[in-house]
């Protein structure tokens, strides 16, 4: 159960908003996928906050914002004594221990010296307890790079702190629009500061610049209406290809940057219909021989890959291959080019079949992950079919793919860690669904994800589908012709 200190109880009472006390798990905790802890019998809510500024041992994942005026509440950010071990575990590197005074270890807020006011602290707190969890696909918080990699980096970098606050504000602005002003100012500061970092040759500055640009890209993508993410993604690609970055020794921060870029690069090929940026020369010939990410290391065993991908990173390579094909489909001008195009498509399909056979031989993971993998795999297969055969929703393969995707999606519980992997499968399946029942399955799940994940681009993706359904009900207009005409910023990350 969400617990409040005395000040928060008073403000909550003034707004007539409190925990609904549904047992065994209250509505707020269920919505945010938190553990719900109830006070022992005989302990009243008031007694939990008898000591001003103190917190009970339950979850403190709450929004420190007053919904009446949008201004941050004045909170005491103190944490229980045992938080010292948790915070210390986020700073495993000797650099962090030397930089951060041990006397300040007590909370992530107090460790970071770059938080200038209450709004900054509210945004940072929201990032730690809500945004970082929404971004992670892993159930293991110790493997969440949005915490274990970025928090120590932010403690020593005003630039990284600024972009984290910007990302947090992007997540929060749908519910608390007034907080976006503070976040936007910090976003501007990050943009100005990253140029200075790129002008330095120090290895840590390269890491800070790369992480900042990637988070700026993520912020624009989650906004759902921006085109600026393309420029950030290209800038990150240039940094990763630079000799300064290539010469750095592999580490957690290096793996984080590589993994996050590969994830965003692969997913954004759907909207660009271009080769992945690390493979600008990918051709039809390479598709039929060896399309491998030579510039990207093998990531399947990296510590942060599970949290970023949620499913096998290899599937994202295949998604890139499909969109290389999409880039070449307009070049089918004669019979010979058609034969070559279909041969390349068959090769990609064979690669996916081989991956599935190998995957079935591996040790099974959690059921949620397996269902998300199945949904994503069939979304790629359906996307490949659309690229090669067109967008006929009545084709037998389309029926088979939609059934496989929706059956897998419905097996994944709400607020699952892998729920973030479902946006691409849902949009692909929804765009080809012709029955009201299937459309409502897709729409209902997207509406749930708008609340469990909270980012604006999910809402725009749902509105995009509704536009497609409306168009298809009144004319022969297909998904390909309207997909990005009104929503150019939507990418299914």
């Amino acid at each position: 159960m969400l617990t409040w200190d005395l000040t928060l109880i008073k403000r909550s009472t003034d707004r007539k908003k409190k925990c609904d006390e549904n047992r065994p798990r209250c509505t707020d905790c269920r919505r945010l996928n938190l553990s719900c802890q109830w006070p022992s019998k005989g302990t009243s809510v008031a007694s939990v906050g008898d000591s001003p500024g103190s917190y009970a041992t339950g979850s403190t994942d709450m929004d420190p914002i007053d919904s009446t005026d949008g201004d941050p509440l004045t909170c005491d950010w103190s944490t229980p004594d045992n938080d010292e071990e948790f915070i210390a575990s986020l700073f495993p590197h000797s650099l962090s221990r030397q930089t951060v005074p041990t006397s300040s270890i007590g909370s992530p807020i107090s460790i970071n010296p770059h938080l200038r006011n209450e709004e900054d602290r509210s945004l940072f707190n929201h990032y730690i307890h809500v945004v970082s969890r929404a971004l992670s696909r892993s159930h293991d918080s110790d493997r969440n790079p949005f915490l274990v990699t970025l928090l120590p980096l932010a403690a020593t970098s005003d630039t990284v702190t600024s972009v984290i606050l910007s990302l947090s504000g992007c997540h929060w602005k749908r519910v608390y629009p007034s907080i976006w002003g503070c976040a936007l100012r910090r976003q501007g500061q990050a943009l100005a500061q990253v140029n200075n970092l790129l002008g330095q040759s120090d290895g840590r500055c390269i890491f800070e610049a790369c992480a900042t640009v990637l988070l700026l890209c993520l912020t624009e993508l989650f906004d759902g209406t921006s085109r600026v993410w393309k420029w950030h993604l290209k800038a990150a690609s240039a940094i990763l290809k630079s000799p300064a970055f290539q010469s750095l020794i592999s580490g957690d921060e290096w793996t984080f940057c590589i993994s996050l870029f590969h994830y965003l690069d692969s997913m954004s090929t759907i909207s660009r219909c271009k080769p992945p940026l690390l493979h600008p020369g990918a051709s039809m010939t390479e598709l039929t021989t060896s399309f491998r990410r030579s510039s990207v290391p093998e990531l399947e065993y990296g510590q942060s890959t599970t949290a970023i991908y949620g499913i096998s990173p290899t599937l994202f390579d295949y998604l890139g291959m499909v969109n290389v094909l999409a880039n070449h489909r307009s070049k089918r001008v004669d019979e010979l080019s058609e034969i070559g195009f279909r041969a390349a498509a068959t090769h990609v399909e064979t690669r996916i079949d081989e991956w599935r056979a190998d995957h079935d031989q591996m040790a099974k993971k959690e059921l949620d992950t397996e269902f998300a993998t199945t949904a994503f795999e069939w979304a790629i297969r359906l996307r490949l079919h659309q690229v090669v055969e067109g967008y006929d929703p009545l084709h037998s393969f389309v029926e088979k793919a939609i059934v496989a995707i929706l059956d897998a999606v419905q097996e994944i519980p709400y607020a699952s860690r892998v729920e973030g992997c479902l946006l691409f499968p849902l949009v692909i399946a929804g765009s080809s669904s012709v029955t009201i029942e299937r459309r409502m399955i897709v729409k209902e799940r997207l509406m749930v994800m708008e609340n469990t994940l909270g980012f604006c681009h999910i809402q725009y993706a749902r509105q995009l589908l509704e536009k497609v359904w409306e168009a298809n009900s009144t004319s022969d207009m297909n998904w390909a012709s309207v997909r990005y005409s009104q929503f150019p910023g939507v990418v299914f990350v």
Side-chain angles (χ1 to χ4, degrees):
M1 181 177 65
L2 299 179
T3 54
W4 303 67
D5 67 2
L6 194 60
T7 304
L8 295 179
I9 292 173
K10 183 180 184 299
R11 296 295 293 271
S12 179
T13 303
D14 292 341
R15 297 195 309 269
K16 296 181 173 58
K17 180 181 178 181
K18 64 185 184 66
C19 174
D20 58 17
E21 299 185 0
N22 286 334
R23 294 177 182 264
R25 202 175 186 200
C26 68
T27 300
D28 282 336
C29 289
R30 188 167 58 253
R31 176 176 61 85
L32 297 173
N33 195 28
L34 305 175
S35 59
C36 193
Q37 301 183 20
W38 293 84
S40 59
K41 292 183 178 180
T43 304
S44 64
V45 175
S47 65
V48 173
D50 283 344
S51 175
S54 65
Y55 285 88
T57 56
S59 172
T60 59
D61 297 350
M62 55 195 353
D63 301 342
I65 294 291
D66 188 347
S67 62
T68 57
D69 54 15
D71 295 327
L73 297 177
T74 302
C75 302
D76 188 335
W77 298 100
S78 60
T79 53
D81 294 337
N82 60 1
D83 271 10
E84 181 173 343
E85 295 181 6
F86 170 70
I87 300 305
S89 69
L90 297 182
F91 295 85
H93 307 298
S94 57
L95 175 64
S96 299
R97 292 194 184 98
Q98 294 169 4
T99 305
V100 181
T102 56
S103 61
S104 68
I105 295 181
S107 77
I109 307 296
S110 62
I111 283 178
N112 192 303
H114 308 295
L115 306 177
R116 304 186 180 106
N117 51 48
E118 289 299 316
E119 286 184 324
D120 285 359
R121 284 187 283 273
S122 295
L123 286 168
F124 201 69
N125 183 64
H126 183 68
Y127 174 83
I128 292 171
H129 294 295
V130 180
V131 179
S132 62
R133 297 182 182 183
L135 292 172
S136 176
R137 312 286 191 245
S138 173
H139 292 273
D140 186 0
S141 60
D142 293 336
R143 295 173 63 89
N144 185 352
F146 297 98
L147 285 175
V148 299
T149 299
L150 289 183
L151 287 192
L153 194 60
T156 60
S157 171
D158 183 60
T159 306
V160 176
T161 299
S162 292
V163 75
I164 282 177
L165 299 184
S166 172
L167 181 58
S168 180
C170 179
H171 182 272
W172 227 355
K173 70 177 181 178
R174 187 168 65 96
V175 180
Y176 299 110
S178 62
I179 202 68
W180 180 232
C182 173
L184 200 59
R185 288 193 296 271
R186 295 306 293 257
Q187 184 179 21
Q189 292 172 14
L191 280 168
Q193 292 166 335
V194 76
N195 290 324
N196 296 328
L197 291 174
L198 291 173
Q200 302 180 34
S201 58
D202 179 72
R204 189 162 186 83
C205 291
I206 296 296
F207 278 133
E208 288 182 26
C210 189
T212 300
V213 172
L214 286 169
L215 292 180
L216 285 169
C217 179
L218 204 58
T219 302
E220 298 293 347
L221 285 171
F222 286 151
D223 176 74
T225 60
S226 171
R227 298 174 185 263
V228 181
W229 62 266
K230 297 179 182 179
W231 299 104
H232 293 316
L233 196 62
K234 290 180 179 179
S237 174
I239 296 174
L240 293 175
K241 292 178 180 178
S242 67
F245 191 89
Q246 294 284 337
S247 63
L248 295 175
I249 301 175
S250 299
D252 291 342
E253 294 159 349
W254 183 83
T255 304
F256 170 77
C257 290
I258 289 288
S259 300
L260 184 56
F261 176 84
H262 177 244
Y263 173 78
L264 296 177
D265 188 23
S266 300
M267 293 303 298
S268 64
T269 59
I270 304 168
S271 65
R272 292 186 281 122
C273 286
K274 301 287 185 181
L277 291 175
L278 288 183
H279 298 275
S283 64
M284 297 284 287
T285 303
E286 289 175 316
L287 271 177
T288 56
T289 54
S290 58
F291 183 91
R292 302 302 298 168
R293 51 180 193 271
S294 57
S295 301
V296 182
E298 291 298 325
L299 300 172
E300 284 78 357
Y301 304 103
Q303 292 184 355
S304 62
T305 53
T306 301
I308 291 175
Y309 295 94
I311 56 180
S312 172
T314 306
L315 285 174
F316 294 81
D317 285 335
Y318 297 142
L319 183 59
M321 294 183 193
V322 170
N323 289 302
V324 170
L325 272 175
N327 188 42
H328 286 272
R329 59 184 163 182
S330 62
K331 301 174 183 178
R332 294 180 287 178
V333 295
D334 53 30
E335 184 177 354
L336 185 60
S337 59
E338 176 71 20
I339 292 173
F341 182 85
R342 289 185 175 273
T346 300
H347 181 77
V348 174
E349 185 177 9
T350 301
R351 294 283 294 273
I352 298 174
D353 291 339
E354 292 173 349
W355 170 86
R356 168 49 69 179
D358 292 339
H359 182 78
D360 289 340
Q361 298 298 320
M362 298 171 60
K364 297 298 181 182
K365 298 183 179 180
E366 295 179 356
L367 285 177
D368 291 10
T369 303
E370 289 300 319
F371 286 125
T373 300
T374 298
F376 204 91
E377 174 198 348
W378 276 98
I380 295 174
R381 292 181 184 273
L382 180 53
R383 172 67 174 155
L384 177 61
H385 171 84
Q386 291 174 343
V387 168
V388 177
E389 303 293 346
Y391 293 84
D392 180 10
L394 302 180
H395 194 283
S396 59
F397 183 86
V398 175
E399 172 71 16
K400 180 180 179 181
I402 291 176
V403 169
I405 292 170
L406 296 185
D407 284 351
V409 165
Q410 291 180 91
E411 293 293 336
I412 300 174
Y414 295 148
S416 168
R417 285 294 187 185
V418 295
E419 197 169 45
C421 302
L422 301 182
L423 185 58
F424 169 54
L426 285 170
V427 172
I428 291 292
S431 65
S432 298
S433 296
V434 294
T435 66
I436 295 296
E437 179 185 2
R438 288 177 178 173
R439 290 178 177 181
M440 290 304 99
I441 291 173
V442 172
K443 180 178 179 179
E444 184 262 349
R445 190 58 184 252
L446 288 174
M447 293 179 70
V448 169
M449 290 167 60
E450 289 176 33
N451 292 311
T452 56
L453 298 177
F455 289 106
C456 294
H457 73 300
I458 301 173
Q459 175 186 351
Y460 288 113
R462 174 177 58 80
Q463 293 174 350
L464 165 61
L465 277 178
E466 291 174 348
K467 179 179 177 65
V468 172
W469 294 334
E470 180 181 0
N472 285 334
S473 64
T474 57
S475 69
D476 293 330
M477 184 179 294
N478 60 38
W479 180 61
S481 64
V482 299
R483 182 175 50 164
Y484 293 107
S485 59
Q486 300 296 326
F487 303 92
V490 175
V491 177
F492 309 123
V493 296

